[in-house]
Each structure stands twice: as C-alpha cells, then as structure tokens.
Amino acid sequence: DAKTTQPTSMDCAEGRAANLPCNHSTISGNEYVYWYRQIHSQGPQYIIHGLKNNETNEMASLIITEDRKSSTLILPHATLRDTAVYYCIVESGNAGNMLTFGGGTRLMVKP
Amino acid sequence: DTAVSQTPKYLVTQMGNDKSIKCEQNLGHDTMYWYKQDSKKFLKIMFSYNNKELIINETVPNRFSPKSPDKAHLNLHINSLELGDSAVYFCASSTRQGPTEAFFGQGTRLTVV
C-alpha cells in the first residue's frame, strides 16, 4: 500500500507555478521522497527526490517540511506538456527501487 | 538512443496462450523491474531482479516469470494467459546502490481475448 496521500486532481494555468502537495506522515528516517510523473500513454518519468533538504533540478523543486511529514513539488512555470499524473512515493534507498505507486495527482495545465 | 526499450508495444492474444515481452536497457544498470498498470491505472511492482537476487511481489501469480539472459535484458514470460492479465506492462531499470532514479520503458499493452 502507498504511504502517501495526494489530491486526486488539480488545475493550473499555463505559465503559472504548479504546487503539488503530498502527505507522508508515517515516513521513516531512512525513507526518501520521490516524485515521478506519467504523461498519457507513456512510461513513468523520474522528476526529483529528497531526504530532508529541499532539492531543485531543471524540472522542478521539492520542498520537504522540517518534520518530513509532507512535501510539495513545484513546477515553476507550468506548460501544457506538464499535464500528467504526478506520483509522490516514499521508499528507502536500499536494495534497488521497488516503487510503490499510489493514485497520484492528475494535473491539468490549462491555456 | 532509447534507454529502456520494450517489445512488442502492443500484444493481442487468446486466453490460455503463453507469451513473452522483451525488455532491454542500455544504461549499464544492474537492476531491472517489471511493473503492471491495470485498467484503473494503478501501477504495481511485479519483480525486481539483478544478477544476484530476484524479489517477487507476493501478489504476482506464478504464471509470470522473469527471465534474464544477461544484465541488459529482463524478459517477462507469461503462461496460460487469463483475461485479467490484460494491462500495460512497464519495464524499468536503475542502479542497485542507494536512492536513485528509475528509467521506465514505454510499456507493452497486453490484451487477452
């Protein structure tokens, strides 16, 4: 079972920041927060991951609360191509990445 | 170059048949996976495999078996196909050590009729 809770769907205006929340109140000390997305009819795509500190890469920023019980994925300037299902996943960094996907958030970016 | 490639992309077959889906990765990764995405769009891990260890999700029927001829390939063989096996199957790969990203293939849509 997924260890995360995400809203089922969200809308965002094109060009604006998309902020996708995720609750993971039972996260353990050795578990990382991963974000993946799945654009329609494609395989999941890695976005970012973090442990405690906030992280940023060319795709997004990940903000993790100090108690690590929740996080937010930020797409700074959403485009229509960012329309996808976004998955927040909590897994330890050991022994490969057997990812447990939940229902995710369906983000619709609108013109 | 495609990092993780699967063939075929579409597969339609009759109940009771045996079929295989092939997966290849050119990333030099040591661990490969198979995931299943059902009609409700839930993605579930089926197997994790490297040259030393096979980890099987306990919910996977033993009609499903991963076969790895070498480190770059992990094929999925399915015996006695059932209607409920219809789904999209994704192959993925990653390094084994530490937290890292997994790369997914584009999926194989299996339809059992």
Side-chain angles (χ1 to χ4, degrees), chain A residues 15-32:
Chain A
R16 304 298 291 266
N19 297 288
L20 292 95
C22 179
N23 286 324
H24 31 80
S25 58
T26 61
I27 192 170
S28 301
N30 67 340
E31 289 181 321
Y32 290 73

Side-chain angles (χ1 to χ4, degrees), chain A residues 32 34 36 38 40-46 49 87 92-103 106, chain B residues 31 33 35 37 41-43 45 47-48 55-57 90 94-102 104-106:
Chain A
Y32 290 73
Y34 295 86
Y36 282 76
Q38 187 174 24
H40 181 63
S41 296
Q42 296 184 21
Q45 177 190 23
Y46 167 85
H49 75 273
Y87 298 97
S92 72
N94 302 323
N97 288 296
M98 291 184 67
L99 303 170
T100 302
F101 288 81
R106 183 171 297 278
Chain B
T31 305
Y33 313 83
Y35 286 80
Q37 188 166 38
K41 304 296 185 185
F42 289 111
L43 264 162
I45 180 72
F47 306 100
S48 165
I55 301 175
I56 304 171
N57 184 320
F90 290 97
S94 74
T95 58
R96 179 176 173 79
Q97 297 298 324
T100 184
E101 63 183 286
F104 284 78
Q106 289 303 294

Side-chain angles (χ1 to χ4, degrees), chain B residues 67-88:
Chain B
K67 298 186 189 302
S68 180
D70 55 59
K71 200 171 91 166
H73 296 83
L74 183 67
N75 303 325
L76 180 65
H77 190 75
I78 316 169
N79 290 327
S80 303
L81 278 155
E82 300 177 357
L83 294 176
D85 298 331
S86 296
V88 181

Side-chain angles (χ1 to χ4, degrees), chain A residues 27-72:
Chain A
I27 192 170
S28 301
N30 67 340
E31 289 181 321
Y32 290 73
V33 179
Y34 295 86
W35 283 84
Y36 282 76
R37 73 180 182 183
Q38 187 174 24
I39 296 170
H40 181 63
S41 296
Q42 296 184 21
Q45 177 190 23
Y46 167 85
I47 301 173
I48 200 167
H49 75 273
L51 181 63
K52 290 190 231 180
N53 299 324
N54 298 338
E55 302 288 345
T56 295
N57 62 21
E58 65 279 3
M59 288 183 70
S61 294
L62 173 59
I63 308 299
I64 303 175
T65 59
E66 192 169 342
D67 63 8
R68 303 213 314 130
K69 292 186 177 181
S70 65
S71 60
T72 301

